[in-house]
Amino acid sequence: MRIHRLPPELAAKIAAGEVIERPLSAAKELIENALDAGATTISIELRGGGAELLRVADDGCGIEPDELELAIARYATSKLRTPDDLQAVATLGFRGEALASIAAVSRLELVSRPRHCAAAAFLRVEGGTIVARGHCAAPPGTQVTVRDLFFNVPARRKFLRSAVAESRAILHLVTALALAYPEVRLTLRDEGEERFSALGNGSLRDALVRCFGAAVAARLLPLPQPDEDDAGIQVSGVVSPPDLHRGSRQHLFFFVNRRWIQSRALTAAVEEAYQTAIPAGRHPIAVLDIRLPYDQVDVNVHPSKAEVRFLREHEVFTAVQRAVRRAVVEAAGIPLVRSSFTPAVMPAGGSWTEPPGRLAVRYDTLPERRVSGEDVWTASRTAAAGSAGGSAQPGAAALAPESVLEEPGLFRVLGQISRTYIVAEGPDGMYLIDQHAAHERVLYEQFRRRLLAPGAPGASQALLQPVALELGPAQAAWLEGEQQTFERLGYALEPFGPTSWLVRAVPAALAAQGAAAVEYLRAVLDQLADERVPDVERRERACWSLACHAAVKAGDVLTHDEMVALLRQLERCDFSRTCPHGRPTIVHLSHAQLEREFGRR
Ligand code: ADP
Ligand code: MG
């Protein structure tokens, strides 16, 4: 076969197909042009999902009358001059391809009037050929009308999505841009009806209300002020609290220097910050505004500019994760922060362990997170087991001078019901705690901390007699690869034949459970050797799975001190309100709810 040059018309169509894939891409390019032109009002109009008609009108700087033809020529742009400019692109557009591409595959009309011109100039183009030009009356700004997109590219036209799907995608785009540019009045009309309108008053809060509704917007948490040491990377915006989530990732918005982008890495960073705080399969809401020096982002890596590359990806990832995590932990932390609380009634039986003065402590001044006494729960179980059903107080008290039992706690344990729930009074009413879910959360966080900070002292407890662990080949292979993980969790392991191991020590948190702690290891291995999950996640799951196996079960009778110790530790968790699977650990009936229920108000 002979090689020949494509006729320019066909070459243009092929090139256009890359830039303009569907009506959504045309809408994105046109709105970006309006934003680059400094518009404060942008109106978008659709018919037939944008394939029949797509019109974007703005009040931006306009195009000089003698430059209209240049604007629709390929590789013609006002935004770049030298090759160096490409290293620090500050505008949304920069390739000079969009108008040319759209013009090649539609019937396009371009009307524009810079403020200093008395009249507007216009140009009409069909399939890339200019068919009319002239002057007309129009307000300052630019109006681009695209009709019959892909009328001359039947292959593409055939594959277009339904008008409804396309309209929805364009609405999503406009919503995203309204979040990135709260100072711009963006409006969208579809088939003559207004579908979206932004206030354009510059307030992100107001934009959030327009995009998510008032109820959701009110609950979104602002990220903490960016750290100063983040070397030019600033992350701001809002995220949802852990109990507000969605079934898809549609509500994660990332803006990098005000460019809306998609990013698997950033999505992972955000979702990781919510790790175990929201149920599996659910996703948070986030609107993140990431700013960094222009020369640290390569924006020229994707045909529709929907992705970027970071010079220091890891730093950006970390900055995002840290900011989100801080906001989430603050929101998810101790559920009881009400400094106004003073215990009204002292029980006659006097199981208060604190004098009333200490209980009036300001609860909101509790330290953010402390590790001391993290194994007290276990030790208290041992003590209780050893004291033949009597008071475990001596054993528990002997543990450590600053034993959790002696610190003022937020909860006063009243008892256990159904051998499953702990009933407690707290700063605002009554709390029911699922003992398994709560213990699972406590253990999970201890294990996870161990994984992150190996070599923590007191992490493991030697067994009096080493226990042999016989494994199947898959489990054995897996344990060999992950020996370090389990050692960090507190197991001491020694190979003992091809598929056997000797367990010499177990995690201190499980010490009281003796040989059962070895069985948990086997159960975890069985579970993990089966699953096809990436290594990092496996470690996470090892923590989950171990916590789940080792936690007290529903049906276990707990002593008073065991319950107290468990609640003290739960208070100290990052995400005290959910178990690692995202189920709630606490059900709360506030004073106000109680009063309402009893008709007191
Ligand atoms: P790019 O945006 O990459 O420069 P385009 O093909 O989208 O390429 O636009 C070409 C040029 O036309 C732009 O550089 C800009 O100068 C001008 N232009 C396009 N749209 C507008 C608009 N809405 N307002 C003002 N100028 C515009
Ligand atoms: Mg452009």
Side-chain angles (χ1 to χ4, degrees):
M1 275 219 265
R2 311 267 311 160
I3 300 176
H4 62 102
R5 283 187 187 278
L6 290 177
E9 230 187 79
L10 181 52
K13 268 193 204 173
I14 291 173
E18 218 174 285
V19 181
I20 305 300
E21 193 213 336
R22 48 192 277 204
L24 172 69
S25 12
K28 179 165 182 278
E29 293 292 345
L30 295 179
I31 302 171
E32 285 184 353
N33 278 347
L35 290 167
D36 278 345
T40 57
T41 302
I42 304 175
S43 336
I44 302 124
E45 219 182 302
L46 307 179
R47 282 190 192 279
E52 220 172 276
L53 176 118
L54 166 65
R55 177 177 290 138
V56 176
D58 69 57
D59 62 353
C61 66
I63 304 170
E64 295 299 325
D66 61 344
E67 289 190 341
L68 285 194
E69 271 177 58
L70 209 48
I72 62 149
R74 288 200 81 194
Y75 308 127
T77 179
S78 55
K79 301 170 192 175
L80 293 186
R81 297 203 164 271
T82 69
D84 278 351
D85 293 346
L86 197 54
Q87 294 190 24
V89 175
T91 46
L92 296 171
F94 51 86
R95 290 179 184 147
E97 288 185 298
L99 283 183
S101 300
I102 300 170
V105 295
S106 70
R107 299 182 226 274
L108 178 139
E109 186 186 69
L110 175 61
V111 181
S112 193
R113 178 186 152 198
R115 210 154 277 280
H116 63 86
C117 295
F122 75 88
L123 206 58
R124 251 178 240 140
V125 193
E126 287 193 7
T129 311
I130 297 175
V131 295
R133 68 185 74 196
H135 291 273
C136 61
T142 303
Q143 181 177 315
V144 184
T145 309
V146 180
R147 289 194 175 83
D148 304 327
L149 190 64
F150 301 127
F151 78 96
N152 56 350
V153 195
R156 187 54 65 88
R157 202 173 171 92
K158 207 163 63 190
F159 284 102
L160 284 187
R161 272 158 256 213
S162 73
V164 173
E166 209 58 30
S167 292
R168 200 181 303 133
I170 293 172
L171 174 62
H172 190 62
L173 164 78
V174 173
T175 313
L177 293 172
L179 291 169
Y181 292 84
E183 75 279 22
V184 178
R185 263 179 46 100
L186 276 157
T187 58
L188 174 66
R189 298 179 77 79
D190 188 9
E191 308 292 344
E193 270 183 48
E194 184 175 291
R195 294 280 299 277
F196 181 86
S197 84
L199 287 180
N201 63 359
S203 149
L204 175 62
R205 272 286 151 200
D206 287 339
L208 291 168
V209 170
R210 285 293 152 116
C211 297
F212 297 107
V216 169
R219 301 209 50 213
L220 297 175
L221 313 162
L223 295 188
Q225 285 303 307
D227 289 347
E228 280 167 24
D229 58 343
D230 272 339
I233 304 168
Q234 285 194 6
V235 185
S236 61
V238 296
V239 295
S240 53
D243 60 341
L244 177 61
H245 34 72
R246 292 284 179 262
S248 81
R249 297 198 171 89
Q250 281 250 326
H251 304 266
L252 290 172
F253 293 94
F254 301 107
F255 304 105
V256 173
N257 292 338
R258 306 191 92 187
R259 180 188 300 280
W260 181 36
I261 60 143
Q262 312 292 324
S263 162
R264 277 164 166 266
L266 292 177
T267 301
V270 170
E271 298 214 318
E272 217 161 88
Y274 283 85
Q275 189 66 246
T276 77
I278 58 180
R282 305 287 300 176
H283 306 280
I285 301 172
V287 176
L288 297 187
D289 180 4
I290 302 162
R291 306 283 174 109
L292 66 173
Y294 289 113
D295 61 0
Q296 298 202 6
V297 198
D298 188 353
V299 293
N300 191 22
V301 295
H302 189 270
S304 59
K305 300 171 287 177
E307 290 173 16
V308 297
R309 201 173 291 145
F310 296 106
L311 190 59
R312 299 180 300 157
E313 175 162 53
H314 183 71
E315 280 88 338
V316 176
F317 184 97
T318 313
V320 166
Q321 197 182 34
R322 196 184 311 135
V324 176
R325 180 97 185 158
R326 263 170 58 189
V328 174
V329 166
E330 265 167 41
I334 303 165
L336 324 161
V337 183
R338 294 271 161 99
S339 49
S340 63
F341 170 66
T342 40
V345 188
M346 289 298 288
S351 58
W352 276 134
T353 44
E354 266 46 76
R358 286 187 70 193
L359 271 165
V361 162
R362 283 175 52 88
Y363 294 98
D364 49 353
T365 59
L366 260 188
E368 215 182 289
R369 181 190 330 141
R370 8 14 11 227
V371 187
S372 88
E374 81 176 21
D375 297 322
V376 168
W377 161 239
T378 313
S380 142
R381 271 179 82 70
T382 322
S387 62
S391 157
Q393 201 59 39
L399 272 168
E402 78 297 57
S403 142
V404 285
L405 286 177
E406 287 176 6
E407 291 173 22
L410 298 178
F411 296 106
R412 180 170 68 94
V413 170
L414 301 173
Q416 190 188 26
I417 53 174
S418 307
R419 296 184 176 181
T420 299
Y421 309 106
I422 300 169
V423 189
E425 180 187 13
D428 181 25
M430 188 179 93
Y431 299 79
L432 280 172
I433 295 99
D434 180 314
Q435 65 193 38
H436 174 70
H439 195 203
E440 205 175 25
R441 162 57 64 185
V442 166
L443 290 175
Y444 166 77
E445 290 201 5
Q446 286 180 13
F447 290 142
R448 196 157 188 273
R449 239 174 276 147
R450 291 272 157 74
L451 271 194
L452 299 177
S460 65
Q461 167 93 45
L463 292 169
L464 290 177
Q465 289 264 306
V467 177
L469 184 64
E470 302 258 354
L471 296 172
Q475 288 81 342
W478 207 75
L479 181 53
E480 200 173 327
E482 290 295 326
Q483 185 178 351
Q484 215 194 4
T485 300
F486 288 98
E487 295 197 326
R488 283 185 179 184
L489 291 175
Y491 285 99
L493 300 161
E494 211 175 90
F496 187 64
T499 58
S500 296
W501 295 71
L502 269 191
V503 184
R504 295 198 173 278
V506 299
L510 310 181
Q513 309 184 34
V518 177
E519 282 312 305
Y520 301 149
L521 176 58
R522 183 201 303 284
V524 171
L525 289 168
D526 281 349
Q527 204 171 339
L528 292 183
D530 257 12
E531 291 174 9
R532 282 178 198 95
V533 279
D535 285 352
V536 244
E537 260 177 63
R538 278 187 167 173
R539 282 171 205 152
E540 175 80 13
R541 286 194 197 193
C543 295
W544 271 29
S545 177
L546 195 56
C548 182
H549 284 104
V552 290
K553 303 285 177 289
D556 288 353
V557 178
L558 303 184
T559 67
H560 181 81
D561 284 348
E562 286 174 341
M563 293 190 275
V564 172
L566 176 55
L567 296 194
R568 296 290 155 85
Q569 292 187 72
L570 183 63
E571 288 163 15
R572 290 165 165 73
C573 286
D574 284 344
F575 293 106
S576 52
R577 292 204 126 180
T578 57
C579 80
H581 312 287
R583 281 198 302 113
T585 52
I586 305 178
V587 169
H588 176 201
L589 260 179
S590 67
H591 285 309
Q593 276 169 295
L594 287 171
E595 286 183 356
R596 233 175 292 127
E597 289 296 326
F598 286 109
R600 285 176 175 276
R601 65 169 180 187

